[in-house]
Amino acid sequence: MKIDHSQPLEYSTEQNRLNILGFWIFLGAEIMLFATLFASYFTLVDRTGNGPAGARIFEITPVLAETFLLLTSSFVIGLGIHAMRLGNKKAMLTFFVITLLLGLGFLGFEITEFITYYHEGATLQTSAFTSVLFTTLGTHGAHVTLGLFWGTFIVLQVKKRGLTPETANKSFIFSLYWHFLDIVWIFIFTFIYMKGMT
Amino acid sequence: MGFFTRFLIPNPSPVIYTSMVAIGVTILLIVFGLTHFKKWFYLWSGWLTTVDHKRIGIMYLIAALLMLFRGGVDAVMMRAQLAVPDNKLLDSQHYNEIFSTHGVVMILFMAMPYIMALMNFVVPLQIGARDVAFPRLNAISFWLFFMGAMLFNISFVIGGSPDAGWSSYFPLAGNEFSPHVGTNYYMIAIQIAGIGTLMTGINFLTTILKMRAPGMTFMRLPMFTWSSLVTSVIIIFAFPVLTVALIMGTMDRLFATKFFTITDGGMDMLWANLFWVWGHPEVYILILPAFGLFSEIIPTFSRRNLYGYRSMVASMVFISIYSFFVWTHHFFTMGQAAYVNSIFSITTMVIAIPTGIKIFNWLLTMWRGRIRFTVPMLYSIGFIPLFTIGGVTGVMLAMSAADYQYHNTMFLVAHFHNVIIPGVVFAVLGAATYYWPKMFGFMLNERLGKWAFWFLTIGFCLAFFPMYITGLDGQARRIYTYSESTGFGPWNMVTFIGTVLMAISFFLIVYTVYYSIRHAPKDVGQDPWDARSLEWATHNPVPEYNFAIIPQVNSREAFWDAKYKGVELFKGDYEKIHMPNNSGSPFIMSCIFFVFGFALIFSIWFLAIIGLIGIFTCMALRSFEIDHGHYISVEEIKETEAKYGGVNK
Ligand code: HEM
Ligand SMILES: [Cu+2]
């Protein structure tokens, strides 16, 4: 493997550059995935059958908490990548761990939110609206869950192997993924919650 | 339902029992053969764990041919059933299952992997690369496709096949009207294979963007690579839509969600829309690479440059974008507003323009060329008039008002087979013949190949042209029988005869391979067709590392210029070559996917959970794995090059 020292570590080998481009393309596919979910959501949002509509079940507090946690985590992972560029392994690891904890908090709120909905009579099976609501939120939530595992593995690897072209590459790609989830959440927040509550 | 009863076939028939026995015997024979000839290790180390794009391509090819056989048997059974009025060969349920599986198998498990086979084999060679961008991901793609295909194929011996058509419209595909597990198979098998396809799209887009040999600018890319590039982009935009649609369909069936139900707010038209937002671009995912292949074959055998290179590229890009704006033509008659129909009617017809440009370019390439009528060229020449007929009837279908007359009739069936068989099947058969020496180091017998071509072409005309007539007369598709008084009988008999001719051509093709293995000369040189692009600049069969030295490209037809204008392709000295290591994990992970899919289909939850954990464990292990690949030393390269008949520089 030829290492090009004029580039940041995560870009420093041919394979690293390929990985990053490939991941961007993968994110393109992910955009299509969520776009399809949103399109389905807009199609079905008013088709509530005998179940509740969004305005009846959405609650602002947990949603704001989730938004706050996820946005902060996205900021923190940015700091982590910055630290990585400076070669400060310890700071980077700290920021990554904080990111993951914030992500965990997000997930905690989301799960309690789902349980509340359930108790208010909105289950996956209630109506087309609740089906698509839970599926869209759930797909995002599942991405976050996967991200938590993935991030943990990366933290362990950086801890053990240090900042090499490989671990830097993985960390950088993970940060792209995490920012992406954040952006999707902004759409969820605006078009599902904000729009649904008014 | 008891635990075991759900595995039973809901509508058993002698045909199915016979297939069960045949499958069992085949598996036993394979196991016995591998053990007897002590090939288990070779199979594992040479093929199951390979990450070499050429071997993956060959595995795709074998799988596609097997599936062509499977889909072909379905086709023959359908036409046999329809050959005479009031036939009792198949019952309606069985007929439903056959046309559904025929459609899925042919499109997703035959045509797709066949295209993937050629993409895998040819694209890295054409751009002068050593491999694809993500070799291991490539192996995962193949094995996911393969497991999806196998899962789909066991449906007719375990639990019953899908019977709601290849488009699986709801509410027909919902639990109420399709109570047995068939549609679960549909949803989950296609999902697994589809994930593989998406990964292929990402892989090839990255490869073509980043791994071109020095000097290979975009306007110097060979046509097939261009078509693969465009196709990859369509895959990346279209397949996620299918993923979502299938997830929703699966959830409706397994968890009683309400996406596509009639009650509780569900909307069956949402399925139709999502399905065709994927489904229409899907046919371009098949046809554009096929166009690319014709654009390789026709210049080679006309001994002329491709006419209108730039317009070829432009029309392809145009088609790829437009393919996303026509999906509604699949349901003109399902009650949408007239202005919607008009818009989609026009967008659909517009696609004929770039397609027409391409046809003229091929004709102009042949014009004043010195044509050699080899088998690949025969397929290409046969393609042009037949495909044009299919295109014209397509425009007829695109007239939304007229479509009320012939939608869901045999006219439609005739139309799409008329584009897909000359377009895709001719392309891949011709291309397989064309690239055969590159893949295996010997040529296929030309005489037998021509026989197969003529059987296929004549069979095709007999099989499908009568359907236009009966279709306009009102013979509906997806109907298992008709009465004497309709007068469809004789035409359907002609169709049956045509189908038999096509089946014969399939066996001729298989026989050609067998015959050529035994009798063809083994030293055909590296460029037996006197071709033009880079894939012919390396040995036959291609060494592991493709090119001992990465070629330097100076023109659009680099290899041709190297041969006839003395331009040097390979400059510099040998250097050690970095190659990826083989890995068993793609195969193992895909096997777990198979088990997971099977468990979901039959709602065996504990197994599904174990499978899911297994998949994530594989991914976790992969994350921690350190695998830097290996190097091929300069001595080894020299040795290999010498063995392949002279050092190639
Ligand atoms: C070997 C020659 C073939 C014959 C004789 C044949 C015949 C048929 C027949 C009779 C039908 C069903 C018509 C009905 O709905 O009643 C059908 C449907 C279909 N065929 Fe073929 N076919 C052939 C090859 C292919 C190929 C090569 C492809 C695609 C690559 C293909 C794709 C389809 C599809 C997508 C359907 C629609 C299935 C559905 O209605 O759900 N066929 N074919
Ligand atoms: Cu279409």
Side-chain angles (χ1 to χ4, degrees):
Chain A
M1 278 288 139
K2 272 198 269 327
I3 299 179
D4 177 354
H5 292 286
S6 68
Q7 303 248 25
L9 212 48
E10 70 269 19
Y11 282 99
S12 61
T13 69
E14 183 69 48
Q15 189 63 46
N16 278 4
R17 290 192 286 274
L18 283 177
N19 290 350
I20 291 173
L21 177 69
F23 197 76
W24 274 110
I25 296 173
F26 172 74
L27 287 184
E30 289 272 80
I31 290 175
M32 279 309 291
L33 185 103
F34 280 104
T36 312
L37 282 170
F38 278 114
S40 309
Y41 179 83
F42 294 138
T43 315
L44 300 178
V45 63
D46 295 325
R47 305 176 71 101
T48 50
N50 297 322
R56 239 198 60 207
I57 52 172
F58 292 157
E59 282 168 50
I60 191 76
T61 330
V63 175
L64 279 181
E66 285 160 38
T67 311
F68 174 75
L69 289 171
L70 207 61
L71 260 58
T72 320
S73 78
S74 196
F75 177 67
V76 174
I77 203 170
L79 296 178
I81 294 300
H82 192 66
M84 183 181 89
R85 288 260 171 90
L86 297 174
N88 189 340
K89 176 177 145 188
K90 215 161 141 216
M92 176 211 165
L93 283 178
T94 317
F95 285 129
F96 264 62
V97 171
I98 296 175
T99 304
L100 295 177
L101 289 176
L102 291 170
L104 200 63
F106 167 87
L107 212 60
F109 271 105
E110 183 154 67
I111 291 170
T112 46
E113 192 196 333
F114 280 11
I115 294 173
T116 328
Y117 292 171
Y118 178 81
H119 285 303
E120 286 171 16
T123 70
L124 194 57
Q125 288 86 7
T126 307
S127 68
F129 163 67
T130 60
S131 293
V132 75
L133 176 74
F134 279 110
T135 305
T136 311
L137 296 178
T139 308
H140 179 266
H143 275 74
V144 174
T145 316
L146 188 84
L148 291 180
F149 281 102
W150 184 10
T152 312
F153 297 157
I154 284 174
V155 167
L156 291 176
Q157 285 171 42
V158 174
K159 204 160 169 243
K160 208 165 114 208
R161 297 177 195 157
L163 286 175
T164 66
E166 275 200 334
T167 54
N169 188 241
K170 287 184 184 181
S171 313
F172 181 73
I173 287 177
F174 176 67
S175 79
L176 292 180
Y177 179 77
W178 200 260
H179 290 311
F180 172 75
L181 293 185
D182 194 31
I183 294 170
V184 173
W185 180 261
I186 293 174
F187 278 87
I188 292 182
F189 179 74
T190 322
F191 292 110
I192 295 187
Y193 288 114
M194 287 289 112
K195 201 164 167 287
M197 276 186 238
T198 51
Chain B
M1 246 198 299
F3 185 81
F4 288 105
T5 44
R6 61 185 143 177
F7 299 112
L8 299 179
I9 314 291
N11 303 285
S13 76
V15 187
I16 292 177
Y17 289 131
T18 322
S19 337
M20 281 186 187
V21 175
I23 292 176
V25 171
T26 318
I27 292 177
L28 277 180
L29 276 179
I30 293 174
V31 171
F32 176 78
L34 284 170
T35 315
H36 183 79
F37 295 105
K38 300 200 176 55
K39 288 287 187 208
W40 282 106
F41 179 72
Y42 171 71
L43 183 70
W44 175 256
S45 67
W47 295 92
L48 300 188
T49 60
T50 190
V51 292
D52 182 336
H53 71 95
K54 299 175 288 293
R55 294 203 161 196
I56 290 174
I58 288 172
M59 291 194 290
Y60 268 119
L61 182 68
I62 295 169
L65 283 171
L66 281 175
M67 290 296 107
L68 179 60
F69 179 72
R70 160 76 213 270
V73 171
D74 282 346
V76 173
M77 287 204 286
M78 275 190 286
R79 289 326 311 188
Q81 163 64 24
L82 293 178
V84 288
D86 300 312
N87 201 352
K88 298 270 166 356
L89 186 65
L90 305 173
D91 57 43
S92 59
Q93 172 63 21
H94 199 183
Y95 190 82
N96 293 349
E97 292 181 12
I98 289 181
F99 72 65
S100 306
T101 50
H102 165 79
V104 174
V105 164
M106 281 298 197
I107 301 271
L108 286 156
F109 300 133
M110 187 288 281
M112 281 294 270
Y114 216 135
I115 297 284
M116 297 293 169
L118 293 156
M119 255 165 83
N120 261 285
F121 193 87
V122 177
V123 167
L125 292 173
Q126 276 196 335
I127 61 173
R130 293 248 151 81
D131 207 329
V132 293
F134 312 111
R136 202 191 280 196
L137 188 69
N138 201 19
I140 294 180
S141 296
F142 170 74
W143 288 112
L144 284 181
F145 144 72
F146 186 79
M147 294 302 165
M150 290 304 116
L151 199 56
F152 192 81
N153 271 281
I154 60 170
S155 67
F156 79 111
V157 286
I158 307 176
S161 291
D163 55 2
W166 93 283
S167 46
S168 210
Y169 282 153
F170 284 79
L172 182 58
N175 281 330
E176 191 184 341
F177 297 108
S178 294
H180 69 84
V181 295
T183 306
N184 296 357
Y185 268 112
Y186 175 98
M187 298 286 161
I188 287 158
I190 296 181
Q191 184 74 283
I192 293 175
I195 296 170
T197 307
L198 180 60
M199 298 301 151
T200 304
I202 295 172
N203 210 339
F204 277 82
L205 183 57
T206 318
T207 306
I208 301 172
L209 288 180
K210 280 284 204 178
M211 296 180 69
R212 284 163 290 132
M216 175 78 80
T217 59
F218 279 108
M219 277 301 142
R220 285 181 190 158
L221 280 185
M223 250 2 243
F224 180 61
T225 301
W226 250 119
S227 70
S228 305
L229 176 76
V230 172
T231 305
S232 303
V233 175
I234 309 183
I235 289 178
I236 291 161
F237 282 105
F239 267 77
V241 182
L242 177 69
T243 305
V244 172
L246 291 174
I247 288 178
M248 290 176 174
T250 311
M251 300 219 320
D252 265 8
R253 291 189 56 88
L254 296 183
F255 307 125
T257 51
K258 301 294 180 325
F259 289 106
F260 309 126
T261 53
I262 303 294
T263 53
D264 294 321
M267 192 192 214
D268 48 352
M269 279 312 286
L270 180 63
W271 168 269
N273 277 283
L274 292 180
F275 182 87
W276 287 111
V277 167
W278 162 79
H280 191 84
E282 164 67 16
V283 304
Y284 289 93
I285 294 171
L286 299 177
I287 202 75
L288 289 179
F291 286 173
L293 292 168
F294 288 126
S295 302
E296 298 294 331
I297 294 170
I298 291 176
T300 297
F301 296 109
S302 310
R303 295 172 153 273
R304 279 195 82 207
N305 280 353
L306 184 67
Y307 185 89
Y309 178 92
R310 276 162 197 280
S311 61
M312 284 299 216
V313 173
S315 53
M316 220 151 52
V317 173
F318 182 81
I319 292 177
S320 70
I321 297 168
Y322 245 62
S323 67
F324 284 92
F325 296 101
V326 302
W327 79 93
T328 297
H329 65 212
H330 293 274
F331 35 87
F332 279 150
T333 60
M334 291 198 210
Q336 58 218 346
Y339 78 91
V340 176
N341 274 359
S342 314
I343 292 170
F344 282 95
S345 186
I346 293 166
T347 50
T348 304
M349 290 180 199
V350 164
I351 291 215
I353 299 169
T355 315
I357 294 178
K358 296 183 87 70
I359 302 261
F360 280 112
N361 281 338
W362 288 311
L363 289 175
L364 288 168
T365 307
M366 288 192 249
W367 186 259
R368 279 196 268 146
R370 276 172 295 147
I371 298 181
R372 282 176 290 161
F373 291 97
T374 58
V375 172
M377 191 61 178
L378 281 182
Y379 279 112
S380 312
I381 295 177
F383 147 78
I384 291 177
L386 293 180
F387 183 83
T388 309
I389 298 174
V392 170
T393 56
V395 175
M396 287 170 71
L397 283 162
M399 298 186 276
S400 57
D403 190 53
Y404 279 84
Q405 166 67 19
Y406 33 62
H407 86 277
N408 261 346
T409 65
M410 281 297 169
F411 187 88
L412 174 90
V413 177
H415 151 69
F416 74 69
H417 286 86
N418 203 170
V419 285
I420 215 158
I421 292 180
V424 180
V425 180
F426 278 28
V428 291
L429 290 177
T433 316
Y434 182 58
Y435 285 114
W436 197 271
K438 259 289 132 209
M439 291 181 173
F440 301 104
F442 61 91
M443 310 269 277
L444 288 179
N445 186 286
E446 281 278 309
R447 195 169 41 83
L448 284 170
K450 282 179 187 163
W451 276 100
F453 166 78
W454 285 112
F455 266 95
L456 185 64
T457 308
I458 295 171
F460 168 79
C461 295
L462 289 179
F464 290 100
F465 290 160
M467 285 190 212
Y468 283 123
I469 300 167
T470 60
L472 286 178
D473 262 355
Q475 187 187 359
R477 77 192 279 218
R478 295 182 179 168
I479 299 284
Y480 83 114
T481 192
Y482 52 89
S483 73
E484 178 91 61
S485 59
T486 55
F488 300 147
W491 287 123
N492 278 287
M493 187 44 116
V494 175
T495 287
F496 175 63
I497 294 168
T499 309
V500 172
L501 295 187
M502 293 176 82
I504 294 175
S505 104
F506 177 83
F507 287 106
L508 274 173
I509 290 169
V510 175
Y511 179 69
T512 313
V513 173
Y514 168 79
Y515 181 89
S516 311
I517 291 175
R518 307 220 29 191
H519 299 291
K522 296 284 181 263
D523 48 341
V524 290
Q526 66 177 33
D527 178 25
W529 305 113
D530 195 11
R532 312 174 84 84
S533 42
L534 277 183
E535 68 268 32
W536 303 97
T538 181
H539 306 291
N540 284 356
V542 187
E544 183 195 354
Y545 45 74
N546 293 356
F547 300 94
I549 296 174
I550 295 292
Q552 306 266 335
V553 180
N554 300 308
S555 63
R556 201 171 276 166
E557 308 212 305
F559 179 55
W560 183 262
D561 293 348
K563 270 191 300 190
Y564 294 104
K565 295 186 188 152
V567 185
E568 224 184 318
L569 260 188
F570 302 104
K571 298 191 192 110
D573 256 326
Y574 294 131
E575 281 172 41
K576 62 181 181 169
I577 296 175
H578 182 253
M579 296 302 287
N581 287 333
N582 282 3
S583 164
S585 69
F587 178 70
I588 293 170
M589 187 166 123
S590 307
C591 287
I592 302 177
F593 253 104
F594 182 91
V595 175
F596 172 62
F598 187 84
L600 276 189
I601 289 166
F602 289 96
S603 313
I604 312 172
W605 301 116
F606 75 96
L607 192 60
I609 292 169
I610 294 175
L612 203 61
I613 294 173
I615 292 166
F616 284 117
T617 312
C618 286
M619 283 157 65
L621 289 175
R622 169 65 176 148
S623 170
F624 284 102
E625 187 182 349
I626 301 181
D627 178 2
H628 289 299
H630 62 277
Y631 281 96
I632 303 179
S633 68
V634 174
E635 291 77 62
E636 257 177 278
I637 301 171
K638 280 190 178 146
E639 234 169 74
T640 320
E641 290 291 299
K643 192 180 81 198
Y644 275 113
V647 176
N648 190 0
K649 274 195 77 172

